[in-house]
Amino acid sequence: MKIVHVVGARPNFMKAAPVLQALARHPGVRQAIVHTGQHYDVDMSAVFFRDLGLPEPDVNLEVGSGSHAQQTALIMTRFESIVLDLKPDVVLVYGDVNSTVAASLTCAKLLIPVGHVEAGLRAFDRTMPEEINRILTDQMAQWLFTSSPDGNENLLREGVEPKKIHLVGNTMIDTLVRLLPHVAEHHAREFPLSYALVTLHRPSNVDHPDFLRAILQALLDISQELPVIFSVHPRTRRRLLDYGLNVPNSDRFRLIGPMSYLESLARQQRATVVITDSGGMQEETTFLGVPCLTLRDNTERPVTVTMGTNLVIGRDLQRLRTEVRRILAGRGKPRQVPPLWDGQAATRIAQVLLS
Ligand code: UD1
C-alpha cells in the first residue's frame, strides 16, 4: 500500500507525525510526505519537523502565501502532477487548512481515495475560512477519522455514509503524549513562575486595527496582575506593523516569536492561563488541565468546553479581564480528558486503513 501524506501549515505537522510512525511499523506500507509550502518560515515549519522527528518531505510544492484562491489553486496545480507520478492508494490530509481542501479536491477529481484526519469538526460559522475547508474536505473523503463523538454526529447530519466514519481519537494528543516527557529542558528559566500565555492569529481578531488595539490594551491591563507572554504569529506580526501598533516589551509583558512544538508544550504546561484563538491549544490545554480562554465567538471543538478546561468567551474583552481574575482566584473549571485521547489514535487509523 502506498500512502501520501499532505501537510502544509503548522498545525498539520503534529497531527501527521504519529500516523506516519504508526504506518511505518507495517512492512507492506510505503509512504511519502508532500509539503505544500503554505507555511515556509523555519520557525513555522522546519523546527516542527525537527521537534517531531519527522523525515524531510519528499516533495515541497513551495506555494507560499497568497489570497485563499491563489494559495488553493497553486497547491492544486502543483499537487496534481506530483500525485499522478506518485500513484498512491490513499492520500491522507489533516485538519482544516487550505492545503487540506486543495489536496482533497485534486484527488477527488482524479478518483484517488482520501482519508481525512480530524474530520467532522464544525464551528457552524461559515465566515471562518477553515469551516469551508472542513465541510468540503469531509464531502470528498472516503475515510473520515474523527477525534470526538460530535464529529460523527455532524458528519451523519451532513449525509456522510456511516461506514466511512471512524471515531479514532486525537492524533495531536498522540504527539503530546509521546513528547511530554521531553519538555522539561524547554522550561525557560527566565520566565516568571506564573503567567498568561497568549497566541492570537485568526483574521477575526488580528485583521481589524481597532479590535487588535483593544486586545493589546486588555492584555496590558491583565499584565498588571499576571505577567503576559505573547507569542506572535507571522500574520499578527505583519498586522501590528501594518497598523503601526507599538507594543512595549517589558518583564510583565513579553513578546516572543512563534514557539517550537516543545517550547509551546512547556509554556502551556506551566501557564496559569492560556488565552488563544488556536484550535490546537484548546485541545492541548484540555489534556494538560490548564485553564484556556478562547477569544472567539465559537469553537469547532466543543468537547474542550463540555469536558475540558476551555471557556469560549467571544470577543468580549471585559469578560476576558473578569475570567482571568476568576482563574487567579482559583476558580478554574474541573476537567476530564475526552475518551480516546490516549496516545493511540494513529494506531487505530493504521488498523482501519490496513483492514
Ligand atoms: C493558517 C491556517 C489556519 C491555521 C494557521 C496556523 C488556512 C486558511 N489558515 O493561517 O487555519 O490556524 O495557519 O498557523 O489555511 N506567513 C509568514 N510565514 C509563514 C506563513 C505565513 O510570514 O511561514 C504570513 C504571511 O504574511 C501570510 C500570513 O502569515 O500572508 C498568513 O498565512 P496563511 O498561511 O495564509 O494563514 P495563517 O494565518 O497562517
Side-chain angles (χ1 to χ4, degrees):
M1 184 186 265
K2 183 159 191 191
I3 298 183
V4 166
H5 303 259
V6 179
V7 293
R10 184 170 64 175
N12 291 157
F13 309 134
M14 39 282 209
K15 294 169 192 166
V19 183
L20 263 131
Q21 282 154 3
L23 287 164
R25 289 195 281 272
H26 298 272
V29 175
R30 284 179 300 144
Q31 308 191 69
I33 303 178
V34 174
H35 191 318
T36 65
Q38 177 175 344
H39 284 173
Y40 43 87
D41 285 349
V42 169
D43 53 10
M44 295 295 285
S45 176
V47 295
F48 286 82
F49 276 71
R50 181 202 65 199
D51 277 7
L52 301 169
L54 273 168
E56 286 287 304
D58 297 271
V59 181
N60 193 322
L61 305 178
E62 295 181 351
V63 301
S65 300
S67 71
H68 285 270
Q70 286 166 341
Q71 199 170 53
T72 309
L74 202 53
I75 296 169
M76 290 183 68
T77 315
R78 295 193 179 164
F79 184 54
E80 184 176 52
S81 56
I82 300 291
V83 80
L84 284 170
D85 272 356
L86 291 171
K87 298 188 181 61
D89 298 296
V90 182
V91 170
L92 289 180
V93 297
Y94 296 86
D96 56 15
V97 300
N98 286 347
S99 302
T100 313
V101 73
S104 304
L105 185 50
T106 309
C107 292
K109 297 288 178 86
L110 295 170
L111 306 182
I112 298 170
V114 169
H116 183 203
V117 177
E118 200 188 72
L121 296 183
R122 296 290 180 269
F124 303 101
D125 174 2
R126 290 197 184 202
T127 64
M128 264 186 105
E130 292 81 2
E131 184 82 348
I132 308 294
N133 296 345
R134 294 180 198 117
I135 294 169
L136 295 181
T137 302
D138 286 341
Q139 283 298 321
M140 295 185 282
Q142 309 292 312
W143 289 274
L144 295 116
F145 298 111
T146 56
S147 48
S148 50
D150 54 285
N152 292 47
E153 287 162 24
N154 294 333
L155 293 171
L156 291 171
R157 197 178 325 104
E158 289 171 17
V160 176
E161 285 174 74
K163 66 171 194 259
K164 292 183 177 173
I165 307 170
H166 306 274
L167 179 58
V168 292
N170 190 325
T171 65
M172 202 189 58
I173 299 298
D174 291 4
T175 295
L176 189 159
V177 168
R178 175 170 69 94
L179 292 179
L180 202 54
H182 301 281
V183 304
E185 70 222 57
H186 293 269
H187 287 298
R189 261 177 230 100
E190 78 274 18
F191 274 26
L193 281 178
S194 66
Y195 55 87
L197 180 67
V198 179
T199 76
L200 297 167
H201 71 284
R202 298 275 166 209
S204 56
N205 282 329
V206 306
D207 284 5
H208 308 279
D210 290 344
F211 192 58
L212 186 54
R213 186 178 297 110
I215 291 177
L216 290 175
Q217 188 54 55
L219 294 176
L220 277 169
D221 295 347
I222 288 167
S223 73
Q224 305 302 313
E225 291 172 69
L226 178 69
V228 166
I229 298 169
F230 186 0
S231 168
V232 182
H233 183 280
R235 173 190 280 277
T236 313
R237 185 183 61 217
R238 177 174 277 209
R239 293 294 176 259
L240 291 171
L241 285 172
D242 290 348
Y243 306 150
L245 295 173
N246 288 320
V247 190
N249 207 343
S250 70
D251 274 358
R252 297 198 68 84
F253 193 99
R254 248 178 243 221
L255 291 179
I256 59 173
M259 296 178 283
S260 75
Y261 179 72
L262 289 170
E263 279 175 325
S264 167
L265 268 197
R267 285 170 191 174
Q268 287 183 73
Q269 192 184 31
R270 293 269 173 100
T272 308
V273 57
V274 170
I275 299 169
T276 192
D277 56 16
S278 145
M281 286 172 86
Q282 294 172 50
E283 296 185 339
E284 287 164 344
T285 48
T286 274
F287 189 89
L288 295 169
V290 173
C292 177
L293 299 175
T294 296
L295 207 53
R296 280 176 44 189
D297 292 331
N298 46 51
T299 179
E300 63 286 348
R301 298 160 209 271
V303 75
T304 62
V305 177
T306 53
M307 298 190 76
T309 55
N310 189 18
L311 209 55
V312 178
I313 59 167
R315 285 178 297 147
D316 176 347
L317 298 172
Q318 201 41 50
R319 175 137 189 241
L320 176 66
R321 295 176 176 91
T322 314
E323 293 296 345
V324 169
R325 248 179 244 127
R326 200 177 49 80
I327 290 164
L328 280 174
R331 295 198 298 274
K333 285 171 74 189
R335 75 89 159 86
Q336 292 168 284
V337 175
L340 303 180
W341 289 23
D342 58 358
Q344 297 302 320
T347 306
R348 294 185 195 102
I349 290 173
Q351 279 162 0
V352 171
L353 289 174
L354 294 167
S355 66

